[in-house]
Amino acid sequence: MGHAKIRIVEGSDSLASAAADAIVHAANQAIDAEGRFTIALSGGSTPEKAYQLLALPERSRQLDWKRIHVFFSDERFVPHDDSRSNYALAARTFLKLVPIPSANVYAIPVEGTDVQTAAKSYSAMLARFFGISELNRPPKIDFILLGLGDDGHTASLFPGKPSLTETKAWFIGTPPGVLPPPVDRITATLPLLNTGKKVVFLVGGEKKRDIVKAVLIGKNTSYPSVHVQPEFGQLVWLLDSAAASGLKLFTGEHRIS
Ligand code: 6PG
């Protein structure tokens, strides 16, 4: 298990600002170094405030949006205009409000297909974008944003589901886990997540206290999030003090192995 950097901030507003700032910083670093920035977004409720901050001029004008390419770590198998869609969340909170070319936003296909075919075509699309074969190792996405479910899931890698043991495919279809919404998902697999250059868990609120402790301290391998260990990239847990309260760590930066 590699090292993880843990950053604890005081409350939900600071958590959203810290996440938005981390994305802006990583984007400008990648654009300076390679001329583009690739990010995979997660869904759920936690990232909403951070996404909204990215749309405000204070941060939006710091970004060269035509050099930014947005993917998704997972998606619910519902239409993109469905309120449960992770694409819809990102579109509503920032993608439709910033000058990012629509061609730079790669939604996971959910129409006119089945969930496994959708996962395969998304992997093929990624392979074309990165100029590699989907039979090879996954691409190195610059920034992968993840959440943590109360059951220890991340993206749509749910405890006990076959998607957890996938070693080749980059995206896979999966039935729902125990947490709502009860719809099929398409999810990045552990090989894809663990090839990320910077993998950031964004977790906030008292409700997540116990699962954060179980994952970071207990390291119980029945929790999919425990298996997110980037091979070469950086793993960061960005927590507010409520979610981190079981770790007995003060606000600030820490490293754990
Ligand atoms: C999804 C997300 C999922 C989410 C966690 C945490 O599609 O639901 O990708 O992995 O990040 O369930 O969700 P909350 O932020 O709502 O607690």
Side-chain angles (χ1 to χ4, degrees):
M1 190 172 248
H3 283 288
K5 186 168 92 174
I6 296 179
R7 184 167 174 220
I8 302 170
V9 296
E10 201 42 56
S12 62
D13 289 344
S14 307
L15 186 67
S17 303
D21 289 343
I23 292 169
V24 169
H25 178 71
N28 286 325
Q29 238 182 359
I31 290 168
D32 288 350
E34 293 149 33
R36 74 178 186 193
F37 174 62
T38 54
I39 182 170
L41 302 176
S42 75
S45 57
T46 305
E48 182 158 355
K49 270 189 195 173
Y51 294 165
Q52 288 168 334
L53 291 177
L54 287 176
L56 297 181
E58 180 192 349
R59 289 181 178 85
S60 173
R61 65 177 167 221
Q62 294 182 51
L63 294 170
D64 183 355
W65 287 99
K66 65 183 179 304
R67 294 181 182 276
I68 293 176
H69 300 269
V70 175
F71 304 89
F72 291 84
S73 312
D74 68 327
E75 183 58 279
R76 290 86 178 273
F77 201 57
V78 296
H80 285 146
D81 58 3
D82 186 304
S83 61
R84 297 167 296 178
S85 160
N86 290 342
Y87 167 80
L89 168 72
R92 170 172 56 80
T93 51
F94 81 106
L95 291 174
K96 295 285 186 206
L97 308 173
V98 296
I100 188 168
S102 55
N104 287 24
V105 178
Y106 305 82
I108 295 178
V110 291
E111 306 280 357
T113 180
D114 62 271
V115 69
Q116 293 301 354
T117 307
K120 283 194 178 77
S121 67
Y122 200 58
S123 300
M125 185 283 298
L126 241 70
R128 286 193 300 276
F129 176 85
F130 284 96
I132 54 179
S133 158
E134 66 246 54
L135 302 177
N136 290 350
R137 291 177 49 75
K140 294 183 176 149
I141 294 175
D142 292 317
F143 195 109
I144 300 179
L145 185 67
L146 295 173
L148 175 66
D150 298 348
D151 60 352
H153 84 258
T154 192
S156 289
L157 295 169
F158 300 116
K161 291 285 191 282
S163 51
L164 262 187
T165 54
E166 175 59 43
T167 58
K168 293 272 181 285
W170 303 352
F171 279 82
I172 195 168
T174 176
V178 296
L179 297 174
V183 294
D184 285 350
R185 314 288 182 93
I186 292 113
T187 184
T189 59
L190 286 170
L192 183 100
L193 298 182
N194 286 333
T195 316
K197 291 184 181 171
K198 187 166 191 151
V199 181
V200 180
F201 278 90
L202 181 65
V203 191
E206 179 65 28
K207 259 191 0 166
K208 298 290 173 72
R209 176 192 188 280
D210 293 343
I211 191 62
V212 164
K213 184 177 178 184
V215 168
L216 286 180
I217 307 298
K219 298 184 174 61
N220 181 330
T221 53
S222 67
Y223 296 130
S225 301
V226 170
H227 298 279
V228 176
Q229 297 293 336
E231 280 177 68
F232 311 103
Q234 188 187 21
L235 177 60
V236 178
W237 283 78
L238 192 43
L239 308 169
D240 67 12
S241 47
S245 51
L247 303 180
K248 304 285 177 261
L249 295 171
F250 297 107
T251 53
E253 303 224 344
H254 310 269
R255 285 181 74 80
I256 63 166
S257 60

